[in-house]
Amino acid sequence: MRSIDLASRSGVALKRAIQAKQLPRVACASARSFSSTSSNNTGVLPPRYETLYNKYSEVRRVLGSQRLTLAEKILYSHLDNVEESLLSNTNGGRDIRGKANLKLKPDRVNMQDASAQMALLQFMTCNLPQPVIPASIHCDHLIVGSKGADEDLKAGIATNNEVFDFLESAGKKYGIDFWPPGAGIIHQTVLENYAVPGLMMLGTDSHSPNAGGLTTITIGVGGADAVEALVGAPWELKAPKILGVRLTGKLNDWVSAKDVILHLTGRLTVRGGTGYIVEYFGPGVETLSLPGMATACNMGAEIGATTSIFPFTEASSRYLKATNREQADKDAKNFENFSKGSGQDSFFKFKADEGAQYDELIEIDLSKLEPHINGPFTPDLSIPLSEFKKTVQEQKWPEKLSAGLIGSCTNSSYEDMTRCESIVKAAEQAGIKPAADFYITPGSEGIRATLERDNTLQTFEKAGGIVLSNACGPCIGQWKRQDDIPKGTPNAILTSYNRNFRGRNDGNLETMNFLASPEIVTAMAYAGSTTFNPITDSLTTPDGKEFKFPTPKGLEGPETPFEAGREVFQVQSGTPNPNVEVAISPSSERLALLEPFETFPDSDLSGLRVLVKVTGKCTTDTISAAGPWLKYKGHLPNISENTLNTAVNAATGEVNVAYDLDGSKHTIPELAKQWKQRGQPWLVVAEHNYGEGSAREHAALQPRYLGARIIVTKSFARIHETNLKKQGVVPLTFANENDYDLIDAGDEVATVGLYEMLKNGGQGEVSLRVTKKDTGKVVEIKTKHAVSKDQAGFILAGSALNLLAKGN
């Protein structure tokens, strides 16, 4: 979280405002009022666009005739101080990307229930009456998918009622929109209700960029980042580079927008988008539906991208109308035609300037693209469908498909579901039933109600499909399988989800999740085989005839606007009520108030020990597992019991094993807990892209709580690196990757230059003096860091939250 510089005017103002409890009283708007601001054709803009245009005018004044990408227009038009951010150490604004530290003022914050718990607990320590910007809470992560929507939702509410009561009471007290369990998955709900072109949002989930399909800049963050925005402090981001993806042609029959991002993920790998915004453009964009564009943006998280974005198209306009937001559509179009000056740059167009340059450029001809299947165990192992059978057999992956799962935040649109419906209806006419378990997850109550109205859900259920609750469910590990496959048994599932790390879906490290479009998943579920190709292969009907699936056909949106759904699942909005008491039981095992972390010592760190040296992929799932552990998201001591519990020990190859200095064997969290009790600070050594995956800030909070002061790796994932700094943990990378081999578990470590670097606002080099545990030999290892001035401030303070709480 941004350091509040009490020597600056803005810092003093924020501090005084917090002390006086006089931050602007901006009521959190409801979903519909916020995204349906009105304007007319007399040259008057709604407030949202008036602010955006004024900032945009400042950007044009500062940068002159410099050509801007769409992402830059929206991002830079949300700067707190345009000149300060764009002209500081940027060669007069010519070298902004990758260098400037942007201090941004987002329009709103959206939080899912698992991460909202810790975010709200942190917000509460600031003692403010309400957030400065609109916010929302979405109860989607805590419902286990198992037997069907009604039964699962009832069980989920009973199990998690304490957490839901806490979130609902916090929403009422602080004027935050509350979407109850069953209302839908955060990303789909945001797309339907809050996303409008030109907006900048933060979401406490890595797949928040889903809203980029509707021309927003939406960035996944940790809870501390969210709190920073909620209290009105500028949110800091290293100016991303821009990766342009030019689309040409048109998708063929069995190919969907999901295949665009599956293909791109294979080309770029899980690290290829780090430090970039992915911006799609070109004539092929006009052929895509709005939900298709959202799908591509959603899964951009899998390449490490800061966010992804599409221009505003006719499909965008149709979607706004279908979701009952005709005024928002008119406002966006009026805004594009609004000008207070002369020349083309006086207009804010929701597309890149002619002549705008990209740091990297990739071209994809949609006409030549074929369906892809990605996995297992990593989303960037991308295999064309035509080669998948051969690959399965060569790799000796399971040929039997145990389950097919469609829907989720990535692929639950009306278009996705009706295309799958056409496949199911064709199979039904042939007398064929799915050979594998078949699950369907609607993304929102609006989607569910509309699909029910139009008989699509009934088609799935008649075929034997299980319609799950409008929640994340199996996608994030909330899945109680009905086939009783023993843990440790290799098996294959196909899903239309976005992520497939080992053990993620069902807790079985041997379950192989292959990602594909919902159409491919549906067809292959009927075959029950991973080697089946629905484009070329046939199935045998009960009467012995040969059956081949027809080309999937669906509708971009319903013929009449989307249904709102059942009243019980609608948003609860209102002005803040200070008389509401936030529900936290002192004896709770689910929720616990936070204690501040200790400040950084007045010297370099010494006497640290390497808790564990990790090899291979170490995701946020590895550091802080989800699934059954989600119930402890609001209780830091309890959830810390899972810290790094699927990490692989580099020395022994064992999972979740660490050795104390006396050679005794422990689980990693057990040893971390013992070292915390002994007052032994520690660090972790790891490889590339440490913290890949979810925006889960618990992966930073838990190590910090247990005594971690440093994480040293070959490279970090963006969100996790930021989360570590927000919690007072110093992320360092090896200046020479081969130095990873020079440090081992149990080694003693002291920092050299770290304290001076922090006191100098991030300026200076840091090295590690390593004393080998076995020989006593001393090795000096040079490191790199990306600590900014503000980040140095909150590391010294112990955490970003400590700085914000100082104002009370």
Side-chain angles (χ1 to χ4, degrees):
M1 201 172 298
R2 177 181 179 271
S3 163
I4 302 174
D5 182 359
L6 299 183
S8 70
R9 288 189 297 171
S10 60
V12 170
L14 180 58
K15 179 179 174 67
R16 289 174 179 168
I18 292 176
Q19 290 174 329
K21 311 293 191 294
Q22 289 176 346
L23 283 175
R25 296 182 61 81
V26 180
C28 295
S30 70
R32 286 154 183 80
S33 65
F34 184 74
S35 59
S36 300
T37 51
S38 62
S39 65
N40 52 48
N41 294 319
T42 64
V44 178
L45 294 175
R48 164 84 288 281
Y49 282 141
E50 182 178 5
T51 300
L52 183 65
Y53 187 86
N54 289 339
K55 281 290 184 179
Y56 169 72
S57 298
E58 286 188 54
V59 172
R60 286 299 191 188
R61 176 182 59 80
V62 169
L63 297 182
S65 60
Q66 185 172 320
R67 302 294 82 200
L68 299 176
T69 64
L70 171 59
E72 289 176 303
K73 289 183 192 179
I74 299 176
L75 193 65
Y76 299 166
S77 296
H78 283 85
L79 287 167
D80 184 43
N81 185 316
V82 173
E83 286 196 18
E84 178 185 348
S85 286
L86 298 185
L87 298 183
S88 298
N89 304 313
T90 63
N91 189 21
R94 289 181 287 273
D95 298 317
I96 296 170
R97 301 176 191 171
K99 295 185 178 180
N101 287 322
L102 306 179
K103 295 183 179 180
L104 299 152
K105 300 301 289 286
D107 295 303
R108 69 175 298 116
V109 170
N110 309 305
M111 300 174 283
Q112 43 96 334
D113 51 359
S115 54
Q117 296 171 59
M118 195 59 67
L120 290 169
L121 288 168
Q122 293 177 84
F123 177 75
M124 287 166 61
T125 67
C126 298
N127 294 322
L128 298 178
Q130 68 184 96
V132 173
I133 59 175
S136 57
I137 300 165
H138 303 260
C139 296
D140 61 359
H141 270 55
L142 299 179
I143 307 300
V144 175
S146 179
K147 297 180 179 179
D150 291 342
E151 188 172 341
D152 294 347
L153 184 60
K154 183 178 179 180
I157 292 174
T159 301
N160 300 289
N161 196 52
E162 178 184 3
V163 172
F164 295 145
D165 284 349
F166 163 69
L167 296 174
E168 183 177 10
S169 63
K172 290 178 179 178
K173 183 177 185 68
Y174 298 115
I176 300 173
D177 283 4
F178 176 77
W179 294 84
I185 304 173
I186 178 172
H187 311 307
Q188 185 64 34
T189 303
V190 167
L191 189 69
E192 293 173 4
N193 295 275
Y194 298 121
V196 291
L199 214 62
M200 181 185 173
M201 300 185 284
L202 300 184
T204 61
D205 190 283
S206 60
H207 294 108
S208 297
N210 186 80
L214 197 42
T215 322
T216 75
I217 289 287
T218 305
I219 300 175
V221 298
D225 284 305
V227 174
E228 187 174 17
L230 291 174
V231 303
W235 178 72
E236 187 177 33
L237 175 72
K238 179 70 72 174
K241 296 182 179 180
I242 311 295
L243 191 158
V245 179
R246 184 173 187 270
L247 303 181
T248 60
K250 185 177 182 180
L251 296 171
N252 288 314
D253 291 341
W254 275 90
V255 187
S256 75
K258 180 66 167 281
D259 296 301
V260 175
I261 189 60
L262 292 173
H263 168 75
L264 188 63
T265 303
R267 288 178 66 168
L268 291 173
T269 77
V270 291
R271 291 192 287 134
T274 303
Y276 286 85
I277 290 177
V278 178
E279 180 169 317
Y280 294 88
F281 69 104
V285 167
E286 298 294 336
T287 69
L288 299 178
S289 68
L290 186 285
M293 294 188 279
T295 293
C297 290
N298 178 299
M299 203 172 157
E302 308 317 315
I303 59 173
T306 302
T307 191
S308 302
I309 191 168
F310 276 85
F312 188 69
T313 68
E314 285 303 312
S316 312
S317 175
R318 291 193 295 271
Y319 183 80
L320 285 171
K321 294 172 184 174
T323 51
N324 299 294
R325 292 182 290 167
E326 293 86 352
Q327 188 59 54
D329 176 50
K330 292 177 182 177
D331 288 344
K333 291 175 178 176
N334 288 341
F335 178 63
E336 284 196 291
N337 293 317
F338 179 87
S339 171
K340 285 186 178 180
S342 60
Q344 61 177 359
D345 288 352
S346 66
F347 292 90
F348 191 123
K349 298 293 185 181
F350 291 122
K351 62 181 180 180
D353 291 341
E354 191 73 30
Q357 298 297 306
Y358 296 92
D359 296 281
E360 301 285 345
L361 181 62
I362 292 176
E363 298 210 18
I364 299 177
D365 185 344
L366 301 179
S367 303
K368 296 179 180 178
L369 194 64
E370 69 168 297
H372 281 62
I373 298 178
N374 289 27
F377 305 138
T378 184
D380 59 355
L381 182 55
S382 185
I383 306 163
L385 178 61
S386 60
E387 301 175 16
F388 193 67
K389 176 179 179 178
K390 177 183 176 182
T391 305
V392 167
Q393 294 171 338
E394 288 176 347
Q395 298 296 321
K396 295 182 170 52
W397 292 334
E399 294 191 23
K400 178 184 177 182
L401 182 65
S402 54
L405 302 97
I406 63 172
S408 85
C409 68
T410 319
N411 279 112
S412 63
S413 70
Y414 192 89
E415 180 182 38
D416 290 326
M417 294 295 108
T418 54
R419 281 171 65 86
C420 292
E421 179 187 22
S422 72
I423 293 172
V424 173
K425 283 184 173 180
E428 179 186 15
Q429 292 175 357
I432 299 175
K433 295 283 188 181
D437 289 348
F438 185 42
Y439 294 90
I440 304 95
T441 301
S444 71
E445 173 61 10
I447 288 286
R448 187 212 62 79
T450 306
L451 292 173
E452 182 180 63
R453 179 195 70 189
D454 297 345
N455 292 313
T456 302
L457 291 186
Q458 292 88 325
T459 299
F460 292 145
E461 291 175 326
K462 185 178 179 181
I466 298 175
V467 178
L468 299 176
S469 178
N470 312 320
C472 301
C475 184
I476 49 94
Q478 295 283 55
W479 183 23
K480 185 177 180 181
R481 297 181 64 157
Q482 298 298 300
D483 51 10
D484 296 322
I485 291 179
K487 292 290 178 66
T489 302
N491 70 103
I493 64 174
L494 254 78
T495 78
S496 67
Y497 301 161
N498 46 34
R499 191 166 283 162
N500 60 350
F501 299 149
R502 188 183 288 272
R504 176 177 174 87
N505 302 106
D506 60 0
N508 181 358
L509 298 180
E510 297 303 319
T511 294
M512 301 181 189
N513 177 4
F514 296 95
L515 307 174
S517 69
E519 302 95 304
I520 295 297
V521 173
T522 300
M524 293 179 75
Y526 273 87
S529 170
T530 59
T531 61
F532 178 74
N533 183 336
I535 299 177
T536 59
D537 299 344
S538 300
L539 298 176
T540 303
T541 65
D543 58 2
K545 295 179 181 179
E546 191 175 87
F547 168 77
K548 189 174 180 181
F549 283 106
T551 297
K553 301 291 184 184
L555 297 173
E556 177 184 272
E559 294 180 354
T560 56
F562 283 96
E563 294 288 325
R566 292 166 285 188
E567 183 64 29
V568 68
F569 297 130
Q570 302 309 302
V571 63
Q572 298 177 23
S573 296
T575 57
N577 184 349
N579 297 319
V580 172
E581 183 176 348
V582 178
I584 303 179
S585 168
S587 60
S588 174
E589 293 186 356
R590 301 286 301 270
L591 299 161
L593 294 173
L594 296 175
E595 296 293 331
F597 291 131
E598 71 275 17
T599 60
F600 198 89
D602 295 330
S603 65
D604 265 287
L605 300 174
S606 61
L608 280 71
R609 292 282 183 171
V610 178
L611 176 73
V612 64
K613 180 178 179 178
V614 177
T615 188
K617 189 184 285 285
C618 194
T619 70
T620 48
D621 283 54
T622 309
I623 307 165
S624 175
W629 289 96
L630 286 173
K631 63 178 174 285
Y632 296 126
K633 283 287 187 177
H635 198 293
L636 185 55
N638 283 349
I639 198 168
S640 294
E641 299 284 344
N642 78 4
T643 304
L644 288 160
N645 69 354
T646 57
V648 179
N649 187 307
T652 66
E654 297 168 295
V655 175
N656 193 24
V657 172
Y659 293 86
D660 205 342
L661 302 179
D662 62 3
S664 58
K665 184 177 180 180
H666 305 269
T667 68
I668 297 173
E670 281 174 354
L671 185 58
K673 189 174 180 179
Q674 288 185 22
W675 282 12
K676 172 182 170 67
Q677 293 168 349
R678 297 204 311 242
Q680 172 61 63
W682 50 268
L683 68 149
V684 169
V685 177
E687 296 195 84
H688 275 300
N689 215 28
Y690 182 85
E692 168 193 345
S694 167
R696 201 168 297 162
E697 75 169 336
H698 292 76
L701 278 163
Q702 292 169 217
R704 178 70 166 107
Y705 171 76
L706 291 172
R709 300 312 300 259
I710 293 174
I711 308 291
V712 58
T713 74
K714 295 180 180 179
S715 66
F716 287 95
R718 176 194 65 84
I719 298 176
H720 185 62
E721 182 176 13
T722 299
N723 286 345
L724 287 170
K725 289 181 277 193
K726 292 288 172 76
Q727 301 304 337
V729 180
V730 182
L732 300 172
T733 57
F734 294 104
N736 181 346
E737 288 184 13
N738 294 330
D739 286 350
Y740 169 85
D741 298 327
L742 300 181
I743 185 169
D744 296 288
D747 288 350
E748 184 175 346
V749 176
T751 63
V752 180
L754 175 57
Y755 182 66
E756 183 179 1
M757 178 272 283
L758 294 173
K759 293 295 286 185
N760 289 335
Q763 300 298 311
E765 296 183 352
V766 179
S767 60
L768 303 178
R769 184 173 294 124
V770 179
T771 303
K772 301 300 292 181
K773 171 178 176 286
D774 297 329
T775 65
K777 179 182 177 182
V778 177
V779 180
E780 187 106 353
I781 295 177
K782 292 183 178 181
T783 69
K784 297 185 291 186
H785 69 85
V787 177
S788 70
K789 179 180 178 180
D790 288 344
Q791 292 166 345
F794 48 70
I795 291 173
L796 287 170
S799 73
L801 184 61
N802 286 359
L803 276 178
L804 288 179
K806 272 184 178 181
N808 306 295

